[in-house]
Amino acid sequence: TKRIFSGIQPTGSVHLGNYFGAIWRWVELQNSNEAVLCSIADLHSITLPQNPQKLRENTLLMTATLIACGIDYKRSILFQQSKVSMHTELCWILSSITTMARLAHLPQFKEKSESLKNVPLGLYIYPVLQAADILLATHVPVGQDQAQHIQLAQDLVQIFNRQFGQTFPIPHTLINGPSQRIKSLRDPAKKMSKSHTDFKSRLNLLDEPDELLEKVKKAVTDFTSEVTYDPEKRPGIANLINIHSLFTGQTTEKICEEAVGLNTGQYKLKLADIVIEKLSPIRKDILRLTREPAYLDEVLKEGTERATELATSCWTEVTEKVFGNDIQ
Ligand code: TYM
């Protein structure tokens, strides 16, 4: 049977990159009756400084966001990573079969540590914890930026299985079409990212309609006024068309056909309408749910119980393989 696992850090604002690259696809998989585990990766978040109370709020906000986007906590397992301690324990075991050289080359570590004078160890072993997360998974839907982390997990599964005997399945990466990499609205050479300093570079699920309109209007395109789809030569407008296509399900050809006669400025207004129409109900739902923290807590508790149960089911096997069987 398939077991699908993915995670997201509890940062306040979910942007369209997170939405299309990850959440939206989890919902699709869930709705086609796959077993989906969604982890709110707070252990990953603390590798950079966090205000504890804010982190707690953001964990609940992420829970609300996932539910508002269509994660059904009865069918899927929605849980808080730090509450399932086996992830951390397994991370320790895996860290003993990982080389430092292998981790040093991972691009996300390089990116995040570049600007820091003192680099936390947690940031370095971050991908090992991510590997520990997904060891029971068969499939991992993520955006392109996580591909190398999943590759590491695949390597570690192989090393573990070779050293201790067949234990874990090799996790397959599910990365898919244009949703795998939504670009920054200010610089289409870069991905849309929550760490980008220019807030106009991303569309957030919680943005007000007039903010969405403003950001789409200001999206960097080029000096050609027609609306044509050419991701290589015209990455800015292609990114907008991709977003349009993901929201409406129309092909990029169809979208360009319908935009004949519009210049890019007029097309942006049309796209802004669609974005606003699609995001407004989600935004309202998120805000409604955040007013029910007790409910959100209950959801997480239930998910954590079920995730713990799954992790426990293989834990004895892992510890016996690594530390030997008890005598008697
Ligand atoms: P995080 O929280 O940075 O991002 C969550 C998901 O959003 C995807 N994503 C994008 N996809 C397309 N275009 C973009 N511009 C874009 N920006 C972000 C990411 O690829 C990701 O799928 N380490 C992980 C969380 C994690 C995890 C896991 C993921 C913890 N354990 C186990 C998978 C499996 C992270 O920081 O994601």
Side-chain angles (χ1 to χ4, degrees), residues 5-11 15-23 26 39 41 44 62 81 108 112 126 129-131 133-134 140-147 149-150 178-184 190-194:
F5 189 104
S6 205
I8 187 162
Q9 291 190 56
T11 41
H15 54 69
L16 281 193
N18 304 130
Y19 181 69
F20 285 125
I23 302 174
W26 307 347
S39 163
H44 280 114
M62 185 56 77
Q81 186 189 30
Q108 212 167 58
K112 288 192 179 170
Y126 176 117
L129 177 62
Q130 187 163 343
D133 280 345
I134 64 179
V140 188
V142 285
Q144 185 62 47
D145 61 323
Q146 296 295 319
H149 289 168
I150 314 302
S179 70
Q180 65 180 303
R181 193 173 160 88
I182 303 294
K183 314 282 175 51
S184 155
K190 297 205 177 112
K191 65 171 182 179
M192 188 176 283
S193 149
K194 51 200 157 207

Side-chain angles (χ1 to χ4, degrees), residues 19-181:
Y19 181 69
F20 285 125
I23 302 174
W24 176 68
R25 307 192 36 237
W26 307 347
V27 173
E28 265 191 343
L29 289 161
Q30 164 197 279
N31 292 348
S32 52
N33 284 321
E34 305 289 356
V36 182
L37 282 98
C38 318
S39 163
I40 299 184
D42 54 352
L43 290 171
H44 280 114
S45 289
I46 61 164
T47 55
L48 292 174
Q50 300 288 335
N51 170 312
Q53 221 36 52
K54 190 77 198 153
L55 182 60
R56 167 91 191 124
E57 266 169 39
N58 281 341
T59 299
L60 292 185
L61 178 57
M62 185 56 77
T63 309
T65 303
L66 293 174
I67 297 173
C69 291
I71 295 291
D72 173 350
Y73 74 96
K74 293 278 177 201
R75 291 164 75 186
S76 296
I77 298 181
L78 173 53
F79 73 103
Q80 189 180 344
Q81 186 189 30
S82 62
K83 295 275 159 83
V84 183
S85 57
M86 280 165 278
H87 289 280
T88 327
E89 295 175 61
L90 188 55
C91 174
W92 182 260
I93 293 174
L94 292 183
S95 75
S96 310
I97 60 169
T98 313
T99 65
M100 304 208 357
R102 179 74 174 77
L103 298 182
H105 296 297
L106 291 169
Q108 212 167 58
F109 170 71
K110 279 195 188 157
E111 249 168 61
K112 288 192 179 170
S113 58
E114 226 166 36
S115 57
L116 301 175
K117 214 157 96 205
N118 294 305
V119 181
L121 177 60
L123 204 55
Y124 196 68
I125 64 167
Y126 176 117
V128 182
L129 177 62
Q130 187 163 343
D133 280 345
I134 64 179
L135 277 207
L136 282 182
T138 57
H139 295 79
V140 188
V142 285
Q144 185 62 47
D145 61 323
Q146 296 295 319
Q148 277 167 299
H149 289 168
I150 314 302
Q151 171 84 51
L152 173 75
Q154 292 167 340
D155 293 351
L156 291 180
V157 165
Q158 269 169 333
I159 295 170
F160 189 98
N161 287 348
R162 214 180 305 128
Q163 202 161 322
F164 298 107
Q166 177 59 39
T167 311
F168 299 111
I170 305 276
H172 298 282
T173 316
L174 293 178
I175 293 183
N176 195 333
S179 70
Q180 65 180 303
R181 193 173 160 88

Side-chain angles (χ1 to χ4, degrees), residues 207-214 216 247 269-283:
D207 285 346
E208 304 272 350
D210 53 342
E211 278 178 287
L212 293 171
L213 173 63
E214 196 55 26
V216 173
F247 268 131
L269 296 181
K270 177 174 169 177
L271 175 62
D273 274 347
I274 293 168
V275 173
I276 290 166
E277 181 199 317
K278 298 285 178 182
L279 291 188
S280 289
I282 298 180
R283 176 168 149 270

